[in-house]
Amino acid sequence: MKKVFGYTRVSTVKQGNGVSLQEQKEAISRYADKNNLHIIEWFEELETAAKQGRPLFNKMLKLIREKKAEGTIIHKIDRSARNLRDWASLGDLIDEGFEIYFAHESLDLNERGGRLAADIQAVIASDYIRNLRDEAIKGLYGRLKQGILPFAAPIGYINTGSGKLKEIDPIMGPLVKKAFELYASEKYNLNSLANDMNLLGLRNLRGNEVNKATLSIIFNNPFYIGIMKIKGINFSGNHEPLISSVLYKKVQSVLKGKTNTKIVKHGYLYNKLIKCKICEQSLTGEKQKGNIYYRCHMKGCKTKGLREDYIEKNILLQFEDINLQDQEKSIVDDLISDIEDKNRIREEDILKSIRIQESQLNIKLERLTDALIDNNIDKGIYEERKEKIYIEKKGLQERKTNIDDNITKIFQKTKLFFELLKSLKNLYIIGNYEEKRKLLKIITSNLLVEGKKLMITVRNPFQDIALTHIVSSSGQDQANPRTCTAEIANQAISVDKNEVRERMKELVERVNEYFKQYPNEIELEDNNE
């Protein structure tokens, strides 16, 4: 009785737990009993036969060559020969005198006719899997053209079923977005960010902690802005983007520029906020005899040290000049809402501009495709330029989608600006260390010292309100209620109110225009929330 191996193969684990594997074993066992063959070992492989280099198949062939068995029994030719290289390996064994049996086919492989029939079946099996692969690729390409990712969702998204869009993971999605935002701040490198994100709970697809390599893969994946990049080819996705294209491009710039800013911790309130006008060095704080002084440590510099209480006194005087006056507070609330109508008109103009730009990008994309078809452009350059166009289109889509939100944010920012001016001085007085420093960074653009003099430069649009107060106070000829009649006094108050209203109306419009041009210049928070 000849000693042989038994070989079975199924394409998936699911199939392996079903009847296919058992049926193969039963058919092979019946064939062995019928032909007086003794199966000394089974090789059960969960691997597609279309892929050469199957570990158990190769191990079995090696053992046969080492004469551990006289041959092998396989269920069918297509269980072994869906790629021609493995079939050639079996052919070599046959030529070397080893026995290869197929339980399903009654073929004598030692005869020319049987060998020819087996070769034909092997070629057909190989062609079948090749066609299956092509059809699968067509199916995948079809899904991609539909804007659906046919592969596993990346970190931050979850799979919702075959043929369905990926959805943002409610747990990991916000963490991935946070990672993008933190890295864009330029205060982290990949290693330090990985440490912080692990503490926050970010995990990879296997549930393990993320590392530098994981974050690099995330940051280079345009899927998060709605673009699917598969083997260098870009497809527009219909899934909900996790981040904006602006944030994605910012992260790309940081990755390429490798610029990371270290976080500096301050020990004193005005440390590193004030500069020496002469040598342009930041003043640092130090405590002496119970008082805090800020000094320039450049050797030979004539700038003297300033006491902290002197600095705070001057800042409060400056903030008092910016604060809204009582009469202005009652007027400004009525004016804020008047700008909404003007914003709506501007919104329509922006939408028209976006539509024109979208049309131009579509024309560019058509011309680029024509150039590829006509072999006037290399495919690599084509994909690179197409990706840029897709990113621009995504940016326009975001602008169109968020235009209402942007108008609302600008309007809200203008409102918060004037809310801040109602109680700026008091907010500074009661504020803690971080709140005071934040207010200074919001209000001032420069704090300079020359000799013993502190010079405060207020940034726009806060400077506008200070200048408005200076002009109005110098140009007013107010009536003295003690020396004029009640009628004259009432007329003077009425004229004064009209003048204030006109000044505040102009100021509100100017501030709103400022935030339209520089929406991210100043960060304002709603203190009532």
Side-chain angles (χ1 to χ4, degrees):
M1 184 178 288
K2 292 182 179 180
K3 295 180 181 180
V4 296
F5 295 136
Y7 178 80
T8 59
R9 182 196 64 81
V10 288
S11 299
T12 64
V13 174
K14 182 178 178 181
Q15 187 180 357
N17 292 333
V19 298
S20 177
L21 188 62
Q22 185 61 32
E23 286 182 348
Q24 288 181 54
K25 291 187 74 171
E26 288 176 359
I28 291 170
S29 296
R30 287 195 301 269
Y31 183 89
D33 292 341
K34 184 179 178 180
N35 293 276
N36 200 28
L37 300 172
H38 175 52
I39 300 174
I40 59 173
E41 186 175 352
W42 287 95
F43 291 86
E44 299 175 353
E45 193 141 43
L46 301 176
E47 189 75 36
T48 173
K51 183 178 180 181
Q52 69 181 53
R54 291 167 284 159
L56 291 180
F57 181 81
N58 290 337
K59 179 182 178 181
M60 180 183 70
L61 299 187
K62 182 182 178 183
L63 291 173
I64 291 173
R65 281 198 170 87
E66 292 174 355
K67 298 184 179 179
K68 303 295 182 182
E70 297 178 65
T72 183
I73 308 173
I74 303 172
H75 182 224
K76 296 172 65 176
I77 290 177
D78 68 2
R79 290 293 92 186
S80 64
R82 287 191 180 182
N83 75 79
L84 295 179
R85 182 164 296 184
D86 284 349
W87 177 248
S89 298
L90 289 174
D92 290 342
L93 286 177
I94 296 169
D95 293 337
E96 293 169 23
F98 295 102
E99 299 292 341
I100 306 297
Y101 304 99
F102 294 100
H104 194 268
E105 285 92 8
S106 299
L107 297 173
D108 186 351
L109 299 182
N110 294 314
E111 295 290 332
R112 179 171 171 271
R115 188 72 172 270
L116 176 60
D119 286 341
I120 292 172
Q121 288 190 46
V123 170
I124 293 173
S126 179
D127 178 69
Y128 169 81
I129 196 63
R130 191 181 297 117
N131 179 66
L132 197 64
R133 185 188 296 112
D134 290 342
E135 291 300 317
I137 291 172
K138 286 180 184 178
L140 294 175
Y141 184 78
R143 290 296 188 200
L144 291 167
K145 291 286 284 183
Q146 293 172 2
I148 301 171
L149 183 69
F151 307 111
I155 303 170
Y157 284 83
I158 54 176
N159 300 304
T160 58
S162 178
K164 295 182 180 180
L165 296 174
K166 310 300 181 189
E167 292 183 359
I168 294 175
D169 187 325
I171 298 174
M172 292 300 156
L175 290 175
V176 171
K177 184 177 181 180
K178 184 72 173 178
F180 272 97
E181 292 169 345
L182 291 177
Y183 194 68
S185 72
E186 301 184 30
K187 295 179 180 179
Y188 293 84
N189 57 38
L190 291 175
N191 285 322
S192 63
L193 181 58
N195 291 333
D196 280 10
M197 293 313 302
N198 283 325
L199 291 174
L200 290 173
L202 183 62
R203 296 292 182 267
N204 63 22
L205 295 176
R206 295 183 177 180
N208 299 324
E209 291 189 343
V210 298
N211 54 28
K212 176 181 177 180
T214 309
L215 290 179
S216 180
I217 291 170
I218 290 173
F219 292 153
N220 284 289
N221 190 352
F223 187 85
Y224 297 104
I225 60 170
I227 297 174
M228 302 177 294
K229 192 170 187 177
I230 309 298
K231 293 188 176 180
I233 301 175
N234 298 287
F235 301 88
S236 181
N238 289 327
H239 58 278
E240 181 184 352
L242 184 62
I243 61 170
S244 69
S245 61
V246 174
L247 178 57
Y248 181 77
K249 287 192 283 187
K250 171 65 176 174
V251 167
Q252 297 307 298
S253 298
V254 177
L255 283 170
K256 292 176 182 176
K258 298 180 181 178
T259 55
N260 293 291
T261 305
K262 294 180 180 179
I263 299 173
V264 180
K265 294 184 179 179
H266 304 277
Y268 297 99
L269 179 57
Y270 303 114
N271 210 30
K272 303 292 184 180
L273 291 180
I274 305 171
K275 284 189 176 182
C276 173
K277 187 177 180 182
I278 298 172
C279 58
E280 299 184 349
Q281 296 297 311
S282 295
L283 272 63
T284 53
E286 57 185 48
K287 199 166 187 177
Q288 289 186 359
K289 297 180 181 180
N291 294 312
I292 299 173
Y293 292 85
Y294 293 86
R295 304 182 187 279
C296 177
H297 291 274
M298 182 64 69
K299 190 174 181 181
C301 181
K302 296 180 181 180
T303 294
K304 307 298 181 183
L306 295 183
R307 274 176 52 162
E308 186 171 271
D309 54 358
Y310 166 81
I311 296 171
E312 185 163 53
K313 179 182 176 182
N314 280 271
I315 287 171
L316 288 173
L317 286 172
Q318 182 67 66
F319 282 5
E320 191 171 352
D321 289 340
I322 300 171
N323 256 8
L324 286 180
Q325 299 167 3
D326 291 338
Q327 194 176 24
E328 293 170 337
K329 292 176 185 178
S330 62
I331 292 172
V332 73
D333 290 336
D334 297 331
L335 294 170
I336 292 293
S337 59
D338 293 343
I339 62 175
E340 281 191 291
D341 291 338
K342 292 182 180 180
N343 283 339
R344 293 302 173 190
I345 295 172
R346 187 168 184 271
E347 176 186 343
E348 273 303 315
D349 293 338
I350 294 172
L351 283 171
K352 288 177 183 177
S353 174
I354 290 173
R355 293 187 194 106
I356 292 171
Q357 291 178 68
E358 284 180 327
S359 177
Q360 290 172 342
L361 287 175
N362 287 332
I363 292 171
K364 279 186 180 180
L365 193 57
E366 288 177 7
R367 289 176 179 172
L368 191 64
T369 304
D370 290 341
L372 179 68
I373 293 171
D374 296 337
N375 293 320
N376 292 329
I377 189 173
D378 178 76
K379 190 171 182 180
I381 297 175
Y382 165 79
E383 288 299 335
E384 184 179 333
R385 292 181 182 176
K386 187 172 78 169
E387 181 178 359
K388 289 180 179 178
I389 292 174
Y390 274 168
I391 290 175
E392 287 185 52
K393 288 183 73 174
K394 282 293 177 183
L396 291 175
Q397 289 173 12
E398 290 165 8
R399 285 182 61 195
K400 189 189 294 183
T401 302
N402 298 326
I403 189 167
D404 286 329
D405 290 339
N406 290 337
I407 295 295
T408 302
K409 285 177 182 177
I410 291 168
F411 176 73
Q412 184 68 11
K413 208 159 196 177
T414 302
K415 187 176 180 180
L416 290 175
F417 171 83
F418 285 101
E419 286 295 326
L420 177 61
L421 294 185
K422 289 179 183 179
S423 55
L424 176 60
K425 184 179 177 181
N426 288 336
L427 284 173
Y428 187 82
I429 291 172
I430 65 174
N432 59 31
Y433 171 87
E434 291 295 339
E435 289 167 343
K436 285 184 176 182
R437 287 181 66 87
K438 189 170 185 178
L439 276 174
L440 280 172
K441 290 177 181 178
I442 289 173
I443 307 295
T444 65
S445 58
N446 265 316
L447 292 170
L448 297 176
V449 175
E450 185 175 17
K452 279 201 167 186
K453 184 180 179 182
L454 176 66
M455 292 166 283
I456 303 172
T457 303
V458 178
R459 68 167 71 243
N460 278 330
F462 296 97
Q463 191 178 32
D464 287 343
I465 187 73
L467 291 174
T468 300
H469 286 162
I470 292 170
V471 172
S472 62
S473 62
S474 63
Q476 285 179 352
D477 184 15
Q478 296 179 342
N480 188 336
R482 294 183 179 180
T483 58
C484 67
T485 65
E487 183 180 353
I488 294 173
N490 288 334
Q491 288 177 354
I493 292 170
S494 177
V495 171
D496 184 50
K497 280 184 177 180
N498 289 333
E499 287 179 355
V500 172
R501 184 177 180 83
E502 287 303 312
R503 282 193 291 106
M504 297 312 296
K505 181 180 179 182
E506 181 183 348
L507 183 63
V508 169
E509 291 176 352
R510 203 157 62 237
V511 169
N512 197 65
E513 285 299 320
Y514 177 86
F515 286 128
K516 284 179 183 177
Q517 293 181 40
Y518 310 103
N520 301 316
E521 190 72 16
I522 299 174
E523 291 298 326
L524 296 171
E525 296 179 357
D526 191 347
N527 294 313
N528 295 320
E529 289 185 350

